[in-house]
Amino acid sequence: MSFWGALTGRSKPKQANLDALFGIPSAALTLQSALGFVPTGDGAVCYRAAAGAGFADAQQDLVALLAQGEGAPKVSTQSDDYGFTWLLVDNEPLDPQAPDLTSLCTDLHAVNTTLEQDGFGPGLLCSLVPFTDSASRTVALVYLYKQGTFYPFAPTGANSRDNLLEIQIRDTLKNELPLEADLSRWMALWSAPGL
């Protein structure tokens, strides 16, 4: 922080490090070996859609870009009850036990980077990658765009979550990913698709 920033109480917001998304495949191996959670092969990026044709065109171009080519994922968008848009990337894994997380992370990175470069970065909220275990529990690794950190979210019902499991996952992945230390930023994503 600069002297003037300290004097006026202003600080620069932390910049997102989107390359951190590429840490998810190794974190997935740790989650699977330590806790039995396997990735579903799906992922999503959440953002507040901007008004206007420019944003609509950018979003449409993103969907078309990700969905083209042989073996491309199914890509769609949907809005939630809070006014956020979710861009969903649904990979059909060749091997259900080992979905291609590297391709998924590349797709999520491309969505975030493209929106950021097109000037829509302030509307980005988070990206998430869901996992499941043999007991049908679901957990997502959530990347907070504005913080540049991850946190686990483990919903157990309409408005409940497994805080103990979230802490256990945080402790398991502490050496794998940049984790959000401030628990008040661990948002409950009740309307997140696929959870």
Side-chain angles (χ1 to χ4, degrees), residues 10 19 22 26 33 39-40 46 48 59 70 97-98 105-108 131 134 149 175 192:
R10 296 181 189 155
D19 290 345
F22 294 114
S26 68
S33 65
T40 64
C46 181
R48 178 146 334 257
Q59 180 175 271
E70 187 175 328
Q97 294 303 316
C105 291
T106 300
D107 291 342
L108 297 178
F131 295 77
S134 59
T149 55
N175 296 323

Side-chain angles (χ1 to χ4, degrees), residues 98-170:
D100 184 4
L101 278 184
T102 303
S103 293
L104 174 65
C105 291
T106 300
D107 291 342
L108 297 178
H109 187 280
V111 171
N112 282 285
T113 303
T114 302
L115 290 175
E116 184 179 69
Q117 289 174 347
D118 287 348
F120 302 112
L124 288 165
L125 180 65
C126 66
S127 298
L128 68 85
V129 177
F131 295 77
T132 189
D133 70 359
S134 59
S136 298
R137 294 184 301 174
T138 302
V139 66
L141 290 179
V142 181
Y143 177 75
L144 291 171
Y145 177 81
K146 289 178 176 55
Q147 300 303 317
T149 55
F150 288 88
Y151 72 91
F153 174 61
T156 57
N159 289 315
S160 62
R161 63 197 290 184
D162 188 340
N163 297 114
L164 188 58
L165 177 60
E166 292 173 354
I167 298 298
Q168 185 180 14
I169 291 170
R170 179 200 63 187

Side-chain angles (χ1 to χ4, degrees), residues 51-117:
F55 184 84
D57 290 344
Q59 180 175 271
Q60 189 175 11
D61 290 346
L62 268 172
V63 171
L65 176 70
L66 294 177
Q68 77 183 51
E70 187 175 328
K74 295 177 189 167
V75 181
S76 61
T77 60
Q78 71 181 52
S79 296
D80 66 19
D81 297 337
Y82 302 102
F84 287 96
T85 300
W86 292 87
L87 189 139
L88 313 169
V89 180
D90 179 11
N91 281 312
E92 292 295 329
L94 300 173
D95 177 4
Q97 294 303 316
D100 184 4
L101 278 184
T102 303
S103 293
L104 174 65
C105 291
T106 300
D107 291 342
L108 297 178
H109 187 280
V111 171
N112 282 285
T113 303
T114 302
L115 290 175
E116 184 179 69
Q117 289 174 347

